[in-house]
Amino acid sequence: DIQMTQSPSTLSASVGDTITITCRASQSISNCLAWHQQKPGEAPKVLIFQASNLESGVPSRFSGSGYGTEFTLTISSLQPDDFATYYCQQYSSYLRTFGQGTKVEI
Amino acid sequence: EVQLVESGGGLVQPGGSLRLSCSASGFTFRSHSVYWVRQSPGKGLEYVSGINGRQNVINYADSVKGRFTISRDNSKNTLFLQMSSLRAEDTAIYYCLKARYTDYESVDYPPFDHWGQGALVTVSS
């Protein structure tokens, strides 16, 4: 199984900050990497696929980058609606695996 | 608008069975692979199973292999997960997801693009 490791697990930030979350894969996954956002009591939703492609309707302050084993999610000018938990997820094999999540809190 | 609506969750005793359903709309269901992913406090998000449109490609996580069966009814735009020999560690919210691309777009393992709202399964005596 491909292991996905996110850091940090928790991130404290303020409205207007720029934050970066890192995701590392245990082996190369090319650009087969997605990011999901989950708010308390809600299902996750897809933010980014193919490492850097924004899902339709996702604000441009979200951006993703990376290839191989190291990936980042950057949120510029953090907004109140962005305080949530973020998960990376690989789809390089049939057994999709997720990172443990990064909680972005005020 | 794509919608995935799960149903069938509930409380079941260890060793029992339960069948989840996922009703899909807003896309050509028979052309897309669909999946189950679960989320529990202890294990985070975990892939459970997937099935392609023609039902000739099916896979499972090792943790559920031999106990869970995925199936679909393309005439009713519905995905199923039959769960048996349930254990306490199967307690989770079960989400239905769809593949971004159709099965004809030559992508081995497509990314997800939509999640359902989830169905809670609790295994406890």
Side-chain angles (χ1 to χ4, degrees):
Chain A
D1 301 359
I2 300 173
Q3 310 301 319
M4 307 300 293
T5 304
Q6 285 180 238
S7 60
S9 296
T10 307
L11 193 160
S12 296
S14 301
V15 172
D17 286 353
T18 293
I19 65 167
T20 298
I21 299 168
T22 297
C23 177
R24 289 187 172 87
S26 61
Q27 64 188 70
S28 178
I29 58 170
S30 181
N31 63 348
C32 298
L33 191 283
W35 290 96
H36 305 267
Q37 177 194 62
Q38 187 176 33
K39 298 178 183 177
E42 296 184 6
K45 77 169 199 176
V46 181
L47 291 179
I48 287 171
F49 64 99
Q50 209 167 319
S52 60
N53 289 10
L54 254 59
E55 182 66 56
S56 174
V58 173
S60 59
R61 63 180 179 273
F62 290 89
S63 62
S65 66
Y67 190 90
T69 61
E70 290 227 5
F71 301 87
T72 59
L73 172 69
T74 299
I75 311 174
S76 304
S77 188
L78 206 60
Q79 297 300 299
D81 191 48
D82 302 336
F83 291 95
T85 300
Y86 295 86
Y87 296 92
C88 64
Q89 174 243 322
Q90 66 79 19
Y91 49 94
S92 176
S93 75
Y94 86 88
L95 187 63
R96 279 77 162 176
T97 49
F98 295 81
Q100 81 280 13
T102 295
K103 183 178 181 180
V104 177
E105 59 182 25
I106 301 174
Chain B
E1 178 196 1
V2 170
Q3 286 202 316
L4 301 167
V5 180
E6 299 92 338
S7 60
L11 174 64
V12 60
Q13 292 189 335
S17 298
L18 204 61
R19 188 174 86 152
L20 299 181
S21 300
C22 171
S23 178
S25 60
F27 66 102
T28 306
F29 182 72
R30 65 179 179 276
S31 297
H32 289 260
S33 296
V34 279
Y35 311 87
W36 292 99
V37 167
R38 66 186 182 184
Q39 184 173 33
S40 61
K43 296 191 74 177
L45 287 162
E46 180 187 19
Y47 179 87
V48 173
S49 183
I51 184 170
N52 71 340
R54 290 198 283 181
Q55 306 179 65
N56 59 344
V57 178
I58 291 173
N59 50 62
Y60 299 95
D62 285 347
S63 57
V64 306
K65 204 171 290 182
R67 300 187 299 122
F68 290 12
T69 302
I70 192 171
S71 63
R72 61 192 292 166
D73 184 339
N74 288 340
S75 69
K76 297 181 178 176
N77 289 355
T78 305
L79 171 69
F80 302 102
L81 185 68
Q82 178 67 48
M83 304 183 291
S84 59
S85 301
L86 282 162
R87 307 166 180 166
E89 55 264 36
D90 296 318
T91 295
I93 298 172
Y94 285 73
Y95 295 102
C96 167
L97 296 89
K98 71 172 277 287
R100 169 173 304 278
Y101 305 116
T102 69
D103 292 343
Y104 311 107
E105 293 181 73
S106 300
V107 178
D108 282 342
Y109 310 115
F112 305 138
D113 68 350
H114 284 86
W115 295 71
Q117 90 288 351
L120 177 62
V121 173
T122 303
V123 184
S124 175
S125 55

